[in-house]
Amino acid sequence: MVQALLWTIGILGAGSVLLLLAGRWLPARWSAWAALGLLVAAALPFLLLRPSAMVAGPFIWPAVEAGPVSLAYRFDTLAQALALLAGLLAIPLLLWMALGAPAEEGCFAPWALLLLALFLNLVASASLLQAYVGWEGLLLATYLLLACRRASLPTLGIAEWFLGVQHLAGYPLLAALLLIGRSAGTLQYGPLDPGAVTPAALLLLLGTAWLRTAQVPFQGWALAAAGSPSPVSTMVLGGWGLMAGPYLWLRFLSRVSGHAPREIALIAGSISLVLGAVLALRQESSRQVQAGDTTSRLGLFWIALGLDSPLGMAAGLLLLVDLVWGKVLFHIALSGGGRLSQRVRQILFTFGLWGAAGLPPSAGFVGRWLLLLGLLEAGRPAYLPIVLLATPLTLSYLWRGWTLL
């Protein structure tokens, strides 16, 4: 399984770089078709290679060195779930770029492949330090995506603003890794014992994830980036970077002791849900409403992760599925003005709104239902009104986005 993953990352990474280099001569629509073909080719190793060990190092597999900085990969159930979700996000996005989007959007398809490859490298890292480096690489690629379209960005210096905020936000995570390495003697995820991650380290990770996912009050860069060219804003505000922080939170959470950090995640998620919705209601463009929507719905997601229970994890994954698929639908609705009729765009927007508001039978509805059950099971009824309030708040600000469509 790990060997297949490494082949997939290699195909996506190398192919995306070649397409970016060829972009000067290759027509944009052809670039999108080539990217779609590479995505199909990258899935072939999982069909052709025999199942293998869950953990492997790329140069000495299937063994993993014992050192804290050894290069190794771990493709367990959590990594597989996030990798599958990331791939399912890429498929409709590339299909739209190849088939329905304005021709100039095709030049962004190689960037989607590159970001996907870097995200897969992050979620499959068996070393927490390797995951940190992978996250930094993902953010650097996102910065380059913004910088290469500097002339069309709505705010002067937004690329540098994004990079500065994201880089500074990484220092708390680096401090967390230092604490874990000192107490446990290793940064390999497998050998870490329960309790090896201190509550302080988990809080530092929460700080990093909070800044990097534009949670209140650190949403300024996200609102500025919302006016970027349509595929750019979608990949920055609704793409793979959003999933990195929650993924590492789940990695850390299974190795931490104590309940204080979990309670802080519940409180912070509740605040972000409400303030993000208020923020979305105050925006003057549909894309900026989408930025506020990301902030608010990630608050709901953090409430689910703060439960640290099977119900909470199931709710969180379903809410994340609903979030990323909704962003794709909103992207097509917002960017299809020259290719789709107003009625079709409104239908697509309605499908995205339906799931975002948690109306049945969407994944958002099931996720909210499981979240309510998880809160009752955990003895946290005080948070029930916040979760129930999410639906009318989401309907309110997305209806505003509809009127601005």
Side-chain angles (χ1 to χ4, degrees):
M1 185 69 74
V2 176
Q3 288 90 331
L5 175 69
L6 294 177
W7 275 105
T8 295
I9 294 173
I11 292 170
L12 292 174
S16 62
V17 171
L18 289 175
L19 284 178
L20 287 172
L21 293 175
R24 185 173 300 180
W25 307 281
L26 195 64
R29 186 73 73 188
W30 290 13
S31 182
W33 277 107
L36 189 59
L38 277 172
L39 184 63
V40 173
L44 293 179
F46 287 98
L47 302 176
L48 300 178
L49 296 179
R50 294 180 179 178
S52 58
M54 179 187 300
V55 183
F59 302 113
I60 47 174
W61 68 61
V64 177
E65 289 184 341
V69 193
S70 60
L71 187 64
Y73 289 86
R74 178 186 186 89
F75 201 48
D76 56 9
T77 303
L78 179 60
Q80 291 172 22
L82 270 293
L84 179 61
L85 179 58
L88 291 177
L89 169 62
I91 291 171
L93 193 59
L94 290 177
L95 279 172
W96 168 246
M97 290 179 181
L99 296 173
E104 59 271 15
E105 276 199 23
C107 64
F108 295 104
W111 287 104
L113 289 186
L114 179 60
L115 294 176
L116 175 59
L118 291 170
F119 179 76
L120 293 178
N121 175 72
L122 186 157
V123 298
S125 298
S127 164
L128 295 177
L129 181 60
Q130 188 179 335
Y132 165 79
V133 174
W135 199 357
E136 293 293 315
L138 179 62
L139 294 171
L140 179 59
T142 306
Y143 161 73
L144 293 175
L145 170 61
L146 287 167
C148 78
R149 297 292 166 180
R150 195 184 307 275
S152 58
L153 295 179
T155 304
L156 184 65
I158 179 58
E160 287 68 30
W161 185 6
F162 169 84
L163 183 64
V165 169
Q166 299 291 321
H167 179 69
L168 291 175
Y171 285 108
L173 175 56
L174 196 57
L177 296 184
L178 291 175
L179 290 176
I180 296 170
R182 179 186 296 179
S183 63
T186 180
L187 290 177
Q188 291 282 0
Y189 177 73
L192 287 179
D193 297 322
V197 177
T198 63
L202 192 65
L203 287 176
L204 288 168
L205 168 63
L206 180 62
T208 293
W210 208 254
L211 269 71
R212 287 185 169 179
T213 54
Q215 298 297 283
V216 174
F218 307 106
Q219 74 284 351
W221 67 265
L223 293 176
S228 306
S230 182
V232 176
S233 62
T234 300
M235 287 188 277
V236 172
L237 301 176
W240 302 276
L242 292 181
M243 296 185 272
Y247 165 75
L248 286 177
W249 172 271
L250 291 172
R251 282 286 188 223
F252 278 40
L253 198 60
S254 63
R255 300 292 192 268
V256 76
S257 58
H259 297 285
R262 298 167 175 81
E263 197 69 33
I264 289 175
L266 289 168
I267 295 171
S270 301
I271 294 172
S272 190
L273 188 156
V274 176
L275 294 184
V278 173
L279 178 74
L281 283 168
R282 297 177 58 189
Q283 301 311 307
E284 298 299 328
S285 73
S286 190
R287 293 196 182 283
Q288 288 181 323
V289 170
Q290 294 306 309
D293 171 58
T294 299
T295 299
S296 180
R297 288 165 66 190
L298 278 175
L300 189 65
F301 180 64
W302 280 108
I303 294 174
L305 294 189
L307 287 176
D308 186 25
S309 68
L311 281 174
M313 185 170 179
L317 288 175
L318 284 170
L319 291 170
L320 190 59
V321 168
D322 179 67
L323 176 63
V324 296
W325 272 90
K327 292 303 176 184
V328 172
L329 290 173
F330 290 140
H331 163 67
I332 297 174
L334 293 173
S335 65
R339 308 280 295 187
L340 302 175
S341 67
Q342 183 73 1
R343 177 59 59 86
V344 172
R345 295 172 65 204
Q346 289 177 339
I347 290 173
L348 291 172
F349 195 94
T350 301
F351 276 119
L353 181 150
W354 195 272
L359 300 176
S362 65
F365 169 77
V366 179
R368 281 169 168 79
W369 180 255
L370 292 177
L371 179 54
L372 292 171
L373 293 178
L375 288 169
L376 290 173
E377 181 185 68
R380 298 289 199 281
Y383 295 98
L384 293 177
I386 299 294
V387 176
L388 293 173
L389 187 62
T391 292
L393 284 175
T394 305
L395 282 172
S396 299
Y397 65 70
L398 285 180
W399 179 258
R400 176 168 176 77
W402 168 283
T403 62
L404 296 171
L405 186 63

